Amino acid sequence: MCGIFGYIGKRDALPFIVEGLKKLEYRGYDSAGVATLKDARLFLQKCQGKIADLERLLLRKPIDGNIGIGHTRWATHGKPSDENSHPHSDCSEKIAVVHNGIIENYLHLRRELAERGHRFSSVTDTEVIAHLIEEELNIKGTDLEHAVSRALKKLHGSFALAILYEGEKDKIVVARRGSPLIVGVAENETFVSSDIPAILKYTSRVIYLKDNEIAIITQDDISLKNLDGDTVKKEISFISWDPESAEKGGYTHFMLKEIHEQPKAIRDTIKDRIKLDSCQVHFDELNLTEEEIRNINRVVFTACGTSWHAGLAGEYIMEKFVNIPTEVEYAAEFRYRNPIIDENTLVIAITQSGETADTLGAVLEAKSQNAKVISICNVVGSSIARDSHGVIYTCAGPEIGVASTKAFTTQLAVIYLLCLHMGQVRGIINRNEAEEMIKELMAIPQKIEDLLQSEDEVAQIAEKYFHANNALFLGRGKGFPIALEGALKLKEISYIHAEGYPAAEMKHGPIALIDKNMPVVVLALLGRRYEKILGNIEEVNARGGNVIAIATKGDNEIKEKAQDVIYIPPTSSDLSTILAVIPLQLFAYYIAVKRGCHVDQPRNLAKSVTVE
Ligand code: AGP
């Protein structure tokens, strides 16, 4: 997510802004910038890269003033670049705007503004806001507060904004809709931030802006209004967090925060891609024509780690809904195997970071063989997005914890939508089926929220098994990729040796491992393989193993078979993978915490493996 920080007070604004942006670095970003007001003049510096790059720029081109705003950008529209960095300005360069969120109608507004003579210096949605405010200010008698209110009424989408204007040198105007913005109230100083961590050092007294509210902040006053100009009551809250925990939104670890962010991450990933009236799916940058989709005769998912598990789950969905032979390849194997692919092969690279060396190598190999290559990625403008013919972004926001959670479930959601789209294009999915699939997918975020209510039960079960040295995860069908993912989560953050296996394969070897010290997690969801899975559970029980079953809510039979049961809400079997992985993420998390492991940065691991 982008980060916003603002300061108004008696002291020089810049040190506060740079310090505040550093406190927001955890949100992930690719560029940064600042703007200040001094002697009724606006000064602005910004660049692609890290805050350290911005500091070097400011050493060469210093700016000062006791009023200022700053921004760290997580690219959503337009690749990371100096021009696309915030703050953005208008034609007169008298206005500076920093923004967190997505303006959904920006292309329409941009076209209208350009027709009225406005010149744009970036491809971002944000820059549109500066020009809209400029237009309103050109209307005689309009002040910044009213210009901002009128401009914001034209925006569809989400925003947290901080705005400076040379013509009103003593104030910052801020506003929000859908993206958080907090005003920190100190003695003779006021701070503005996207998130609490950046202001906790200065004050614990904050005002949370509500949707469609603006705040006009001067040296001596903070006034809150709605977009119609009506005064809104100021409610000052007291923050009890310590600064360290605040960066995690009050969660102990980023991983736990990101597990809980999954409902929002999935909503953000699917909401702009589904046309409910037509039951059609649209991807902005897929770059695959309907004819190309119809000509595809083979699909290859390629990825590493957790992303590879998403591909393995995707294989079932792709073959079911698109009826194309599909395989899943480890990127490092695929790239050196001289794969037999051609222009009718669709290679789908899956990667959270977009920088995994092996996956990048696989993409280059696929392109050298003329395959169509699309990537599913969580980082706008990342290397893989540039190297692929098309890209579908997961909108999970920055994933800080090394163990991937929300990126994985949003990858599954994207694959489901992609298969729905391809199945419709190839005439395999009809309108009624599409409607049902979309309905099921849109119900998933709420089901995850319901599921997260059982977090304490999972934590209690984890308490019973944190001493284990080995663990086995079993699943059948789509449960198998989730068994693999559960095993990877446990091993990478708790260092317990864990293996995922197809449940039927257990009798071909791993069953020799079963004893009372071996917890066995089994994906035992109701469905056509359920009876077979019960048989596997009996085999484990007969050898003194301890079974932890992930089961469908309402299934009482499983209670007689398993030592522990974690229930998930019923959903279509095609989406059960998204729900079934949540308790496994929590199971691994609580065991790792109990074992005193460094959950967010496990030993030997990196968030993005940019080396072969
Ligand atoms: C996931 O929990 C691991 N941290 C790791 O397996 C990861 O999925 C893998 O390195 C691939 O990363 P990517 O998705 O950024 O390409």
Side-chain angles (χ1 to χ4, degrees):
M1 258 87 66
C2 304
I4 291 174
F5 192 87
Y7 171 85
I8 182 166
K10 303 268 189 256
R11 297 185 275 180
D12 197 8
L14 197 58
F16 289 103
I17 295 170
V18 172
E19 171 81 23
L21 293 181
K22 286 179 177 175
K23 280 287 180 197
L24 297 171
E25 281 190 296
Y26 70 87
R27 298 161 69 90
Y29 69 104
D30 46 57
S31 48
V34 291
T36 57
L37 277 174
K38 181 179 172 74
D39 303 332
R41 282 197 58 210
L42 182 71
F43 300 92
L44 190 155
Q45 291 296 349
K46 62 182 185 178
C47 64
Q48 179 184 351
K50 295 304 179 189
I51 291 169
D53 300 304
L54 178 64
E55 288 183 293
R56 279 189 283 275
L57 174 61
L58 289 164
L59 281 176
R60 296 198 309 275
K61 301 176 180 175
I63 62 178
D64 60 6
N66 64 326
I67 302 176
I69 56 177
H71 186 266
T72 49
R73 180 178 184 241
W74 172 263
T76 55
H77 293 75
K79 65 181 178 21
S81 67
D82 294 352
E83 299 73 30
N84 289 336
S85 310
H86 301 209
H88 285 287
S89 199
D90 62 315
C91 303
S92 70
E93 297 188 346
K94 293 180 185 298
I95 297 167
V97 176
V98 294
H99 168 225
N100 184 15
I102 293 178
I103 305 305
E104 292 160 1
N105 62 332
Y106 85 99
L107 279 175
H108 169 72
L109 293 168
R110 184 186 173 104
R111 272 196 294 273
E112 288 188 336
L113 286 159
E115 284 162 9
R116 295 195 292 266
H118 288 265
R119 299 175 313 285
F120 289 85
S121 57
S122 80
V123 295
T124 65
D125 54 341
T126 304
E127 191 183 347
V128 161
I129 301 169
H131 292 279
L132 287 173
I133 294 170
E134 176 192 16
E135 276 197 338
E136 296 298 337
L137 282 168
N138 287 339
I139 298 170
K140 191 166 172 41
T142 301
D143 63 8
L144 181 60
E145 170 193 333
H146 292 94
V148 169
S149 298
R150 284 205 289 267
L152 297 187
K153 286 182 176 176
K154 297 176 181 173
L155 304 182
H156 302 164
S158 59
F159 53 76
L161 297 170
I163 301 148
L164 297 180
Y165 170 47
E166 212 171 77
E168 295 184 35
K169 62 181 175 33
D170 61 347
K171 67 182 67 165
I172 301 175
V173 173
V174 299
R176 75 150 281 172
R177 180 195 298 158
S179 277
L181 199 64
I182 298 143
V183 177
V185 185
E187 292 305 313
N188 306 318
E189 288 175 330
T190 304
F191 300 84
V192 171
S193 178
S194 324
D195 205 352
I196 287 166
I199 49 180
L200 258 189
K201 178 179 176 184
Y202 309 109
T203 181
S204 300
R205 300 167 65 237
V206 299
I207 298 168
Y208 291 97
L209 256 67
K210 297 186 181 65
D211 279 357
N212 295 312
E213 285 183 354
I214 71 169
I216 302 90
I217 305 170
T218 63
Q219 291 278 11
D220 315 309
D221 182 43
I222 300 168
S223 69
L224 232 51
K225 302 200 176 174
N226 63 24
L227 297 190
D228 293 324
D230 306 322
T231 298
V232 172
K233 181 172 178 295
K234 271 187 306 194
E235 293 169 13
I236 294 188
S237 305
F238 182 79
I239 301 295
S240 58
W241 284 343
D242 64 85
E244 166 63 19
S245 66
E247 291 189 14
K248 304 178 183 80
Y251 289 98
T252 312
H253 295 100
F254 281 112
M255 181 179 177
L256 188 59
K257 175 170 178 274
E258 288 152 11
I259 288 172
H260 282 264
E261 285 177 337
Q262 291 180 107
K264 179 180 185 307
I266 290 175
R267 284 193 186 98
D268 290 350
T269 296
I270 66 178
K271 70 178 180 339
D272 300 335
R273 290 163 166 161
I274 296 172
K275 307 279 179 258
L276 283 175
D277 51 352
S278 63
C279 281
Q280 298 287 316
V281 176
H282 174 70
F283 298 109
D284 286 337
E285 300 174 78
L286 181 60
N287 290 338
L288 267 184
T289 65
E290 293 202 355
E291 186 188 0
E292 285 170 332
I293 289 175
R294 279 189 282 272
N295 291 337
I296 293 164
N297 61 16
R298 188 165 164 224
V299 172
V300 178
F301 286 108
T302 187
C304 302
T306 285
S307 298
W308 185 84
H309 296 152
L312 198 59
E315 178 183 18
Y316 294 87
I317 307 287
M318 183 65 74
E319 292 196 337
K320 174 177 178 181
F321 292 123
V322 194
N323 197 28
I324 300 178
T326 302
E327 59 194 272
V328 191
E329 295 268 3
Y330 283 111
E333 294 305 310
F334 178 77
R335 68 185 294 197
Y336 293 118
R337 189 167 65 80
N338 293 322
I340 300 170
I341 55 178
D342 61 23
E343 65 280 359
N344 292 322
T345 305
L346 175 63
V347 172
I348 304 173
I350 307 170
T351 167
Q352 188 286 133
S353 62
E355 302 300 341
T356 300
D358 287 325
T359 311
L360 288 169
V363 162
L364 296 179
E365 171 63 23
K367 285 169 69 177
S368 72
Q369 309 250 19
N370 303 315
K372 297 279 181 305
V373 179
I374 63 171
S375 54
I376 296 172
C377 177
N378 195 42
V379 181
V380 175
S382 58
S383 300
I384 207 154
R386 292 195 299 273
D387 290 352
S388 304
H389 296 123
V391 60
I392 306 177
Y393 288 114
T394 49
C395 305
E399 189 175 67
I400 310 300
V402 165
S404 190
T405 50
K406 61 178 182 174
F408 177 66
T409 48
T410 53
Q411 288 166 353
L412 295 176
V414 162
I415 292 168
Y416 183 87
L417 277 180
L418 176 62
C419 293
L420 171 52
H421 173 61
M422 293 174 66
Q424 286 180 301
V425 168
R426 292 167 70 97
I428 297 162
I429 298 174
N430 63 37
R431 164 68 191 249
N432 290 340
E433 289 162 336
E435 199 164 346
E436 187 55 33
M437 289 177 69
I438 288 170
K439 182 166 156 269
E440 284 283 351
L441 177 60
M442 293 182 75
I444 287 294
Q446 183 56 53
K447 289 183 178 180
I448 295 176
E449 280 167 0
D450 298 344
L451 178 49
L452 289 169
Q453 300 301 314
S454 61
E455 177 174 356
D456 290 346
E457 291 162 44
V458 178
Q460 284 162 23
I461 294 170
E463 288 260 344
K464 295 164 63 174
Y465 298 102
F466 81 95
H467 285 303
N469 294 316
N470 301 285
L472 200 54
F473 288 71
L474 303 177
R476 284 177 179 254
K478 289 183 280 293
F480 169 45
I482 302 308
L484 291 175
E485 175 58 12
L488 175 59
K489 289 280 100 44
L490 185 63
K491 77 179 89 172
E492 69 174 323
I493 62 173
S494 75
Y495 316 141
I496 291 174
H497 174 248
E499 283 190 76
Y501 246 88
E505 274 297 300
M506 186 186 62
K507 54 185 174 292
H508 299 289
I511 198 164
L513 298 171
I514 304 295
D515 63 21
K516 64 181 175 34
N517 301 314
M518 166 78 89
V520 181
V521 179
V522 183
L523 278 300
L525 305 183
L526 294 178
R528 65 192 175 99
R529 297 178 175 90
Y530 181 70
E531 295 305 325
K532 300 282 186 198
I533 289 172
L534 288 187
N536 295 132
I537 290 174
E538 295 288 10
E539 290 161 5
V540 173
N541 286 336
R543 289 151 182 87
N546 294 306
V547 173
I548 301 143
I550 308 298
T552 308
K553 197 168 188 175
D555 171 9
N556 292 315
E557 183 180 2
I558 195 78
K559 284 179 183 168
E560 293 146 33
K561 312 277 187 188
Q563 278 71 23
D564 297 283
V565 180
I566 301 170
Y567 285 107
I568 68 170
T571 183
S572 77
S573 73
D574 306 311
L575 288 166
S576 60
T577 50
I578 296 180
L579 297 183
V581 76
I582 308 284
L584 302 187
Q585 295 167 346
L586 291 169
F587 182 71
Y589 171 79
Y590 281 104
I591 285 181
V593 168
K594 192 69 187 162
R595 289 169 68 101
C597 298
H598 196 313
V599 170
D600 285 331
Q601 282 140 23
R603 67 186 182 195
N604 312 335
L605 286 175
K607 182 59 186 168
S608 175
V609 183
T610 55
V611 293
E612 289 196 27

